[in-house]
């Protein structure tokens, strides 16, 4: 039993509540993890400055999963067995969460991914994973939003799909896009595959070009997508290029170049120029702290960490199973990416936005509600 648990002015014996952050701090998805950790740090700083949770300070323990599923599992083991955190925020990507969450299930510690959108993250073979939660929408919705944008707004009748086969997220999202695009009356005229860390996309792009699609959908991550966009334009492909949330990185424009990015679009979770008062407050505080506009990862990580903090407030800081039960009850939690109501699958239902790239900058185009 911990002294000082009831709050009050006496310092608690176990001084802090340890929360883990399992994130892509280095490797091919590093900007995702870095923004996520920035946001959670800022939230904890604000909460601690206001006195902490039930009189105890929050302590964030960051473990780098290096953007690799096997390392995400290692990071989870370290956080749970060495650091003994009571809950974990992250990882970002679906493949990393899928690799790390069995360890959390086994150790009975809740994991809240800010951003993993593949359906299997929370439910596999019809079974809900009790200790796994997320703060974002899912890919069947994201794929439908992308396909409808291609078919209706861009008026594309044909599409090519170019897929990172090393990512559970990309494989799933490509499939949901294809289904929705076909349903909207479109036709998939080419399908090509690549792997993470590939750098030369020209052979596949040449084949895609020959099929003459009116739009190309690449639901990959910014590192490979940046080169894909650049090389597509170099090969004279001028049609709109589209993707999903994995495009959201300041590195995208650095890698592709502003010019190549004209006439490209992607689906995302939030727009930093939102009029919501909570979002405005968050964007201002983040800019002040880091000198950067927060991306969707940061906004979602803030909301995922809020889910954990609310769970700890309700369940107390010591029992991870009770914290899990409290997180599962998340209802009407007002975050910076929307209001979170978890359904029985531990998934929120949220709207998406379409982002266009103009002069290398991300510009909000429209909101799509579920
Ligand atoms: N949705 C991606 C995945 O599941 C992760 C991601 C979310 C990346 C948001 C960028 C922005 O793998």
């Amino acid at each position: 039993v911990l002294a000082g648990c009831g709050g009050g002015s006496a310092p608690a014996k176990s001084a802090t509540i340890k929360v883990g952050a399992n994130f892509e701090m280095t490797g091919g998805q590093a900007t995702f993890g870095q923004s996520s950790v920035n946001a959670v740090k800022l939230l904890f700083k604000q909460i601690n400055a206001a006195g902490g949770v039930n009189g105890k300070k929050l302590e964030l323990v960051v473990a780098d999963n290096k953007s690799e599923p096997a390392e995400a599992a290692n990071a989870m083991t370290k956080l749970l067995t060495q650091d003994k955190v009571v809950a974990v925020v992250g990882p970002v990507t679906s493949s990393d969460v899928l690799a790390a969450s069995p360890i959390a299930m086994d150790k009975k510690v809740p994991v809240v991914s800010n951003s993993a959108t593949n359906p299997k993250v929370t439910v596999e073979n019809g079974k809900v994973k009790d200790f796994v939660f997320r703060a974002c929408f899912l890919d069947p919705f994201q794929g439908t939003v992308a396909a409808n944008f291609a078919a209706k707004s861009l008026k594309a009748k044909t599409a090519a799909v170019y897929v990172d086969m090393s990512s559970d997220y990309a494989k799933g999202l490509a499939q949901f896009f294809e289904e929705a695009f076909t349903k909207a009356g479109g036709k998939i005229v080419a399908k090509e595959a690549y792997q993470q860390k590939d750098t030369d996309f020209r052979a596949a792009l040449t084949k895609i070009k020959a099929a003459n699609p009116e739009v190309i959908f690449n639901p990959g991550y910014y590192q490979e997508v940046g080169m894909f966009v650049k090389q597509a334009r170099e090969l004279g492909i001028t049609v709109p290029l589209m993707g999903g949330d994995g495009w959201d990185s300041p590195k995208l424009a650095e890698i592709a170049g502003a010019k190549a990015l004209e006439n490209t679009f992607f689906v995302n979770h939030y727009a930093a120029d939102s009029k919501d008062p909570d979002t405005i407050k968050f964007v201002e505080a983040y800019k002040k702290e880091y000198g950067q506009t927060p991306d969707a990862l940061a906004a979602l990580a803030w909301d995922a960490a809020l889910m954990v903090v609310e769970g700890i407030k309700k369940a107390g800081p010591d029992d991870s199973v009770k914290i899990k039960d409290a997180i599962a009850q998340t209802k009407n939690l007002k975050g910076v990416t929307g209001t979170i109501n978890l359904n029985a699958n531990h998934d929120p239902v949220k709207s998406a936005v379409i982002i266009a790239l103009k002069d290398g900058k991300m510009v909000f185009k429209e909101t799509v509600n579920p």
Side-chain angles (χ1 to χ4, degrees):
V1 180
L2 301 166
C5 254
S9 57
K13 203 173 182 187
S14 161
T16 63
I17 303 168
K18 282 192 185 178
V19 175
N22 183 338
F23 278 115
E24 293 75 355
M25 302 306 287
T26 58
Q29 292 111 46
T31 71
F32 295 164
Q34 290 162 5
S35 308
S36 302
V37 167
N38 281 348
V40 183
K41 277 195 176 148
L42 181 60
L43 176 70
F44 283 17
K45 189 176 159 184
Q46 290 185 2
I47 292 174
N48 287 341
V53 177
N54 302 341
K56 276 197 182 188
K57 296 275 151 84
L58 295 164
E59 180 186 343
L60 190 68
V61 186
V62 180
D64 178 12
N65 66 38
K66 303 179 182 139
S67 306
E68 301 284 351
E71 294 290 342
N74 291 341
M76 192 62 87
T77 301
K78 184 205 162 265
L79 289 171
L80 303 190
T81 57
Q82 237 170 281
D83 304 310
K84 304 211 187 315
V85 300
V86 295
V88 175
V89 185
V92 163
T93 71
S94 296
S95 294
D96 290 342
V97 180
L98 286 167
S101 51
I103 294 150
M105 295 280 290
D106 188 51
K107 298 266 185 267
K108 301 198 181 311
V109 174
V111 179
V112 184
S113 169
N114 46 336
S115 52
T117 45
N118 188 275
K120 286 184 297 193
V121 163
T122 50
V123 182
E124 223 161 350
N125 305 319
K127 257 199 94 200
V128 179
K129 300 177 187 175
D130 352 347
F131 285 84
V132 189
F133 305 87
R134 70 176 117 211
C136 55
F137 57 59
L138 274 67
D139 288 332
F141 172 62
Q142 175 164 216
T144 305
V145 169
N148 287 343
F149 181 78
K152 292 178 187 141
S153 301
L154 300 178
K155 304 203 164 24
K157 299 219 157 27
T158 58
V161 178
Y162 194 19
V163 191
D164 167 5
M165 295 302 284
S166 46
S167 150
D168 291 293
Y169 152 76
K171 282 189 286 189
L173 187 49
Q175 184 206 321
F176 300 124
F177 173 88
E178 284 173 46
E179 287 168 8
F181 189 71
T182 310
K183 216 172 136 196
K187 194 166 176 242
I188 306 294
V189 292
K191 199 170 169 181
E192 294 292 327
Y194 67 90
Q195 300 282 326
Q196 264 159 54
K197 301 194 174 75
D198 280 358
T199 55
D200 188 347
F201 302 96
R202 292 174 184 90
L205 279 169
T206 303
K207 284 193 209 156
I208 288 173
K209 191 182 178 193
N212 213 16
E214 290 169 83
V215 62
I216 305 174
F217 184 65
N218 179 343
Y221 298 126
Y222 64 88
Q223 187 72 37
E224 291 80 18
V225 166
M227 289 181 268
F228 146 81
V229 168
K230 185 165 190 267
Q231 292 169 16
R233 297 308 189 215
E234 283 166 3
L235 288 171
I237 296 173
T238 56
V239 296
L241 308 176
M242 284 186 61
D245 51 4
W247 284 36
D248 186 18
S249 171
K251 290 263 182 217
L252 181 69
E254 246 173 66
I255 299 167
K259 213 168 147 237
L261 280 170
E262 289 301 310
N263 205 20
T264 71
F265 307 89
F266 67 98
V267 181
N268 210 351
H269 300 262
Y270 109 123
D273 48 2
S274 154
K275 299 278 175 292
D276 181 275
D278 288 354
T279 311
I280 292 172
K281 240 170 67 190
F282 162 70
V283 171
E284 276 170 7
Y286 189 99
K287 272 190 183 158
K288 193 164 161 233
E289 188 82 8
Y290 301 111
Q292 274 174 353
T293 304
D295 55 20
L297 282 313
L300 289 169
W302 178 278
D303 289 352
L306 262 186
M307 289 166 67
V308 169
V309 168
E310 287 302 311
I312 294 172
K313 270 190 198 159
K314 283 185 212 142
D318 305 316
D319 186 335
S320 288
V321 175
K322 285 191 185 146
I323 296 171
K324 175 268 291 177
D325 291 336
I327 295 172
Q329 297 305 315
T330 303
K331 287 277 171 303
N332 292 319
L333 178 63
K334 181 70 182 62
V336 297
T337 61
T339 299
I340 299 174
N341 281 296
L342 289 189
N343 64 20
N345 290 345
H346 297 180
D347 300 329
V349 177
K350 295 164 79 188
S351 37
V353 299
I354 303 275
I355 305 283
L357 283 121
K358 289 260 177 301
D359 301 318
K361 301 240 171 346
M362 294 176 189
V363 183
F364 168 79
K365 260 193 93 69
E366 62 190 60
T367 299
V368 185
N369 295 316

